Amino acid sequence: MKKQNGGYLKTDAVHVDFVNDDGEGFILLDSLYGIEPGEGILETEYLKEEWEITKDNIILIAGDGHSFIALDYEMNPSVPEIIYIDTERGDAHKICDDFDSLMDLMFTVEDDDDEEHDDIHIPTHEEIKAWASSTNMNEVANGVYTWIQDFSMVKEDNLLYEAFAKVFDQGTEQQKITIADAMRTEIENETITNQTLIDLCLTLLRKEVGLDFIIYKEMIEENLADKR
């Protein structure tokens, strides 16, 4: 972490001695959180509350919401253990004794599509925010869509709210439908729980008269009602 402020790793998996959704004997890990104000590992408390993680003395260093990798300082405040937290099952497993040991356990899962994946560009948070603040409506819509789907980006952000409203004010019908569908999916998967963003989405959908918008509004409202 001292050499690089988070980002993608050269490997994409870690050997473990427990079974999980990624497979038997390994977990997927292709990136680490960085250290940025309001982002990365500094989001630990926000993410713990968001995903109802009750374990204390930890710092989250990677994860997608359904599971996390964390530094666990409970046993040793100086040299934290590395643990795997499964938020869906509500349990945790020790991976190894320290970060150096974690690096020794890292490896690359063989994938026939590796060459194809190498050509895929994954936008950074800065790029996504730049799109959202662009004067080009296509970039704004793309920024909002990507921001919504990027679990690691905080949704409590005025830039996101403003860009979201801008798409519904100036964007095409297809751009609005795409974003509405993304919101529906993320709310259904409980990866978006920010009430301000949800309320904004519903308010804008209620102003639309197209059948698609009415359907998305009703689906979101029904999903929220089921969760109460």
Side-chain angles (χ1 to χ4, degrees):
M1 287 186 177
K2 292 180 180 178
K3 294 181 180 179
Q4 179 176 328
N5 187 19
Y8 284 86
L9 305 170
K10 293 181 179 180
T11 56
D12 60 8
V14 175
H15 292 291
V16 297
D17 59 3
F18 53 86
V19 177
N20 63 94
D21 290 340
D22 291 335
E24 184 172 355
F26 72 91
I27 56 173
L28 297 177
L29 176 64
D30 63 359
S31 63
L32 295 174
Y33 295 158
I35 306 174
E36 297 288 347
E39 297 181 3
I41 67 173
L42 300 182
E43 284 188 279
T44 289
E45 292 306 315
Y46 167 80
L47 293 173
K48 284 178 61 179
E49 181 178 355
E50 187 86 354
W51 291 96
E52 299 180 351
I53 299 172
T54 58
K55 185 170 180 56
D56 295 323
N57 301 315
I58 62 171
I59 294 178
L60 302 177
I61 61 173
D64 62 358
H66 302 292
S67 63
F68 289 95
I69 308 297
L71 304 176
D72 184 358
Y73 290 86
E74 182 175 359
M75 301 301 294
N76 189 332
S78 300
V79 183
E81 295 178 341
I82 311 300
I83 63 171
Y84 173 87
I85 300 173
D86 187 330
T87 59
E88 295 186 341
R89 293 185 173 87
D91 56 18
H93 301 274
K94 177 180 174 180
I95 298 175
C96 55
D97 292 330
D98 51 45
F99 194 81
D100 287 340
S101 299
L102 176 67
M103 295 179 67
D104 292 337
L105 293 172
M106 292 179 177
F107 71 102
T108 300
V109 177
E110 293 186 6
D111 189 343
D112 294 336
D113 296 328
D114 276 346
E115 292 184 5
E116 179 181 336
H117 291 168
D118 288 341
D119 296 331
I120 299 175
H121 171 67
I122 300 177
T124 64
H125 289 188
E126 289 73 20
E127 288 176 314
I128 294 171
K129 289 183 177 181
W131 292 339
S133 59
S134 173
T135 57
N136 182 300
M137 185 49 60
N138 289 332
E139 290 187 352
V140 175
N142 188 39
V144 173
Y145 175 77
T146 308
W147 197 328
I148 288 171
Q149 293 198 313
D150 189 328
F151 160 77
S152 65
M153 291 192 71
V154 176
K155 303 303 185 287
E156 296 179 20
D157 194 301
N158 286 331
L159 175 57
L160 174 59
Y161 303 153
E162 292 168 3
F164 198 112
K166 185 175 182 179
V167 172
F168 272 79
D169 181 47
Q170 303 177 28
T172 66
E173 181 169 333
Q174 186 56 52
Q175 288 171 338
K176 291 185 279 189
I177 288 175
T178 298
I179 288 175
D181 184 45
M183 281 292 293
R184 176 197 62 79
T185 300
E186 299 306 316
I187 291 171
E188 182 177 312
N189 293 335
E190 298 185 349
T191 49
I192 284 186
T193 58
N194 179 279
Q195 196 59 50
T196 301
L197 182 59
I198 293 173
D199 289 343
L200 174 62
C201 178
L202 288 173
T203 297
L204 294 172
L205 286 175
R206 291 184 184 113
K207 295 179 180 180
E208 300 292 333
V209 296
L211 180 60
D212 287 327
F213 299 109
I214 295 173
I215 292 174
Y216 282 126
K217 177 187 72 68
E218 292 178 349
M219 292 175 71
I220 291 173
E221 289 175 336
E222 289 175 5
N223 187 272
L224 293 172
D226 290 341
K227 289 180 169 60
R228 291 184 185 135

